[in-house]
Amino acid sequence: MKFNIKSGNPEKQRSACVVVGVFEPRKLTAAAEAMDKIADGYIGGLLRSGDMEGKAGSALVLHNVPNTLCDRILLVGLGKEQALSDKAYCDVVRGAFKALHGTGATDAALFLNEVPVKNRETAWKISQTAIIAMESRYRFDRLKSQVEETKPHLRKVTLYTMNEGSRGELAASEEALQQGLAIADGMNLAKDLGNLAPNICTPTYLAEQAIDVAKAYKLKVTVLEQKDMEKLGMGALLAVARGSHQPAKLIALEYWGRTKKEKPVVLVGKGVTFDTGGISLKPAAEMDEMKYDMCGAASVLGTITAVAKMRLPVNVIGIIPTTENMPGGNATKPADVVTSMSGQTVEILNTDAEGRLILCDALTYAERYEPETVIDIATLTGACVIALGHVASGLLSADEELAEELLHASGKAADPAWRLPLWDEYQEQLKSNFADIANIGGRAAGTITAACFLSRFTKKYRWAHLDIAGTAWKSGKEKGATGRPVPLLTQFLIGRAAKKGPAEHKSK
Ligand code: BES
Ligand code: MN
Ligand code: ZN
């Protein structure tokens, strides 16, 4: 799908479909008004005869409207006339694309940039529209032998503003479009990897994907094999891999958008390509969804793709510890004690709390990059789904400034996150009688104690943790990866780039 930004009037467009909004009750937006005028009141007449109220979520396709140059007009309902919420605007745009895909239109002219949205500028509307448009077209049919011919016809989308913008405004809009498209690309990669079957998307496959990304954008990539990790003393990560026939890997992907003298942001993504629970075996129901336990890793690859695509002036390193968590004769047992790369010993009381075990060694490994900030992203706890559902990702950090910065990016990207406390009081729950620390802290505050565990390995840098167990995929009829939190992470890095300004010296 190709996107453009233009200024112009709706009635002048020779498009396959012109999209305009209608408020409730039957109140035309300026764009709809312009179409109605040229059509001698045809649209207003339809509304009066009760064909459309303008209710949020409604849509009406009109063909061959008198005097118009376009093939179709799509009226989309905006709800009551007032500034829309983020969600309402996104729902409108989503509805518009759904209706568009239901027509045979190969191109569309959207006049939705002037729809007022609370506290949002045109740039935001543009990037969201690009993301939603790309999402509306996403299909995962790679594993089907017969692909249904439901491919949308829509190939070209033009986002119009009705008033001639200044050069600055136009440049801002264009930049927002490129950012939206880069985020959408990153989300697509994250979704594809998440949706792939776990017999295909193994640790080895993830490493190959990272190598592909590195080749496409000329980045440096390193893949550590099990023997390398043994040498480094990654006893916690390797303890998880013991039950599996698939070799574990640790992937490091480096994007240097600024001089290497500047400390990088390191993103660490949990890459458990299938989580059976290990010897602490999970129940059978919905166990298939544990193929999504590598969505943290996928979001790291997606974010680096987006950043590389935009050539953002920031330094970002992605670290992905990846393994399966399987039961087996050689698997780690509850009560085993292992030594992590940091030297701290861990009593593994539950082999299903494996994410923190692979992350802790990756977090220690991150130290070699002398990071400015480290953010880990993980489908870490079922407790997070209970606390926040499928709406917000959990954010935990002892660093106020970093937490604020991430929440700000989350708001801007419309990719919700909610902060949970990370107070020392919770650390008590991780006491072990036999090692430095236990890998579980009991049922109470499961998301927080998981983060407490990780915090023990993050003393050398600013750190935040994102628990995406509830947000990385959808269950039920619409089962599938969401591509979150690629928007949040990319927006965070866009913010970092803007703060620092353009890079002076770039090194590869
Ligand atoms: N990958 C799971 C977390 C998970 C569970 C994500 C359900 C999404 C839905 C993680 O490895 C896990 O099994 N966590 C355990 C931790 C417990 C044993 C302390 C959990 O949440 O039950
Ligand atoms: Mn688990
Ligand atoms: Zn897991």
Side-chain angles (χ1 to χ4, degrees):
M1 204 150 33
K2 288 258 172 298
F3 291 83
N4 277 305
I5 295 175
K6 283 188 182 157
S7 59
N9 300 325
E11 73 280 9
K12 302 232 170 89
Q13 308 314 322
R14 290 182 186 281
S15 167
C17 192
V18 169
V19 183
V20 295
V22 178
F23 281 111
E24 190 184 355
R26 307 175 194 177
K27 167 95 184 3
L28 302 180
T29 55
E33 189 83 53
M35 292 308 276
D36 190 45
K37 202 163 160 206
I38 199 173
D40 292 333
Y42 180 88
I43 299 173
L46 276 176
L47 299 194
R48 273 192 300 280
S49 51
D51 285 61
M52 186 170 193
E53 276 302 312
K55 280 205 191 322
S58 62
L60 183 65
V61 186
L62 311 176
H63 294 265
N64 303 321
V65 176
N67 310 328
T68 56
L69 302 173
C70 57
D71 302 339
R72 304 169 188 77
I73 298 175
L74 172 61
L75 303 178
V76 289
L78 303 173
K80 295 254 153 49
E81 186 170 12
Q82 58 181 356
L84 275 63
S85 67
D86 288 359
K87 182 180 174 300
Y89 184 78
C90 291
D91 287 346
V92 163
V93 176
R94 212 169 287 119
F97 277 97
K98 192 164 175 237
L100 276 170
H101 293 320
T103 73
T106 52
D107 74 278
L110 264 65
F111 287 83
L112 297 173
N113 280 343
E114 266 102 15
V115 172
V117 181
K118 272 175 227 136
N119 305 320
R120 298 296 192 185
E121 295 167 355
T122 306
W124 182 86
K125 295 178 205 170
I126 288 173
S127 61
Q128 288 301 314
T129 302
I131 292 170
I132 292 166
M134 295 285 281
E135 283 206 294
S136 74
R137 219 184 51 140
Y138 180 83
R139 300 279 184 282
F140 187 77
D141 43 26
R142 223 196 273 189
L143 303 180
K144 301 201 175 179
S145 66
Q146 241 133 47
V147 178
E148 296 167 50
E149 260 316 316
T150 53
K151 273 235 151 62
H153 304 276
L154 194 61
R155 279 199 295 274
K156 196 176 140 211
V157 176
T158 311
L159 310 178
Y160 278 93
T161 44
M162 283 168 71
N163 32 16
E164 191 94 29
S166 70
R167 202 179 270 182
E169 282 166 341
L170 228 71
S173 296
E174 191 54 48
E175 189 181 26
L177 174 62
Q178 294 316 323
Q179 289 178 352
L181 291 175
I183 290 171
D185 264 341
M187 291 173 81
N188 273 353
L189 175 62
K191 285 189 213 177
D192 279 350
L193 292 173
N195 288 331
L196 260 180
N199 58 329
I200 300 169
C201 184
T202 58
T204 304
Y205 184 89
L206 277 185
E208 286 164 5
Q209 291 298 303
I211 291 168
D212 283 356
V213 172
K215 278 201 186 121
Y217 298 101
K218 299 199 171 67
L219 313 179
K220 184 176 171 198
V221 63
T222 318
V223 178
L224 300 189
E225 304 295 334
Q226 285 191 176
K227 58 179 191 319
D228 305 315
M229 296 190 266
E230 273 159 30
K231 276 190 208 129
L232 289 166
M234 295 186 166
L237 194 162
L238 292 168
V240 178
R242 289 179 69 91
S244 170
H245 290 283
Q246 293 291 337
K249 314 264 173 188
L250 188 124
I251 306 161
L253 186 57
E254 306 179 20
Y255 171 85
W256 298 95
R258 305 180 73 87
T259 160
K260 284 196 176 175
K261 282 188 213 126
E262 289 184 29
K263 294 182 171 180
V265 172
V266 177
L267 304 176
V268 179
K270 173 178 173 183
V272 174
T273 59
F274 196 79
D275 181 11
T276 66
I279 297 297
S280 313
L281 194 64
K282 286 183 181 295
E286 278 123 50
M287 204 207 271
D288 66 292
E289 296 193 1
M290 284 301 120
K291 72 170 180 178
Y292 292 116
D293 214 15
M294 35 54 69
C295 282
S299 76
V300 170
L301 291 177
T303 301
I304 290 189
T305 301
V307 165
K309 193 147 223 150
M310 291 182 284
R311 298 169 187 266
L312 219 54
V314 284
N315 291 339
V316 190
I317 314 291
I319 298 180
I320 294 171
T322 174
T323 177
E324 287 183 338
N325 184 24
M326 299 289 281
N330 212 25
T332 292
K333 304 168 291 299
D336 281 0
V337 173
V338 298
T339 304
S340 66
M341 183 179 173
S342 73
Q344 297 176 84
T345 58
V346 182
E347 184 186 14
I348 301 177
L349 286 169
N350 188 322
T351 63
D352 198 11
E354 85 296 342
R356 60 199 79 180
L357 295 174
I358 68 169
L359 289 169
C360 74
D361 281 340
L363 287 166
T364 303
Y365 186 76
E367 287 173 8
R368 69 181 49 209
Y369 292 99
E370 294 178 30
E372 200 281 326
T373 297
V374 177
I375 303 165
D376 79 81
I377 308 100
T379 48
L380 204 61
T381 62
C384 193
V385 190
I386 302 302
L388 301 174
H390 303 286
V391 177
S393 302
L395 165 66
L396 296 101
S397 178
D399 189 307
E400 297 299 321
E401 217 180 312
L402 179 57
E404 277 308 316
E405 197 180 349
L406 281 162
L407 288 175
H408 181 75
S410 153
K412 205 156 181 193
D415 184 358
W418 192 260
R419 193 172 175 196
L420 298 171
L422 189 61
W423 298 324
D424 283 342
E425 284 84 341
Y426 293 101
Q427 295 280 356
E428 304 283 320
Q429 288 173 240
L430 294 173
K431 279 202 174 130
S432 161
N433 286 352
F434 306 107
D436 297 341
I437 181 172
N439 81 324
I440 52 169
R443 275 170 56 82
T447 303
I448 299 174
T449 54
C452 283
F453 181 94
L454 299 177
S455 75
R456 309 269 185 124
F457 303 84
T458 61
K459 302 292 180 212
K460 302 230 166 96
Y461 42 69
R462 301 170 72 198
W463 165 74
H465 161 63
L466 285 169
D467 193 329
I468 58 166
T471 52
W473 76 90
K474 287 185 187 153
S475 312
K477 218 173 103 224
E478 304 234 304
K479 191 187 283 182
T482 59
R484 292 176 65 185
V486 170
L488 188 168
L489 294 169
T490 309
Q491 188 61 53
F492 171 81
L493 294 165
I494 289 172
R496 281 285 168 108
K499 218 182 280 174
K500 296 205 160 186
E504 281 163 34
H505 315 278
K506 234 178 99 164
S507 61
K508 274 270 155 68

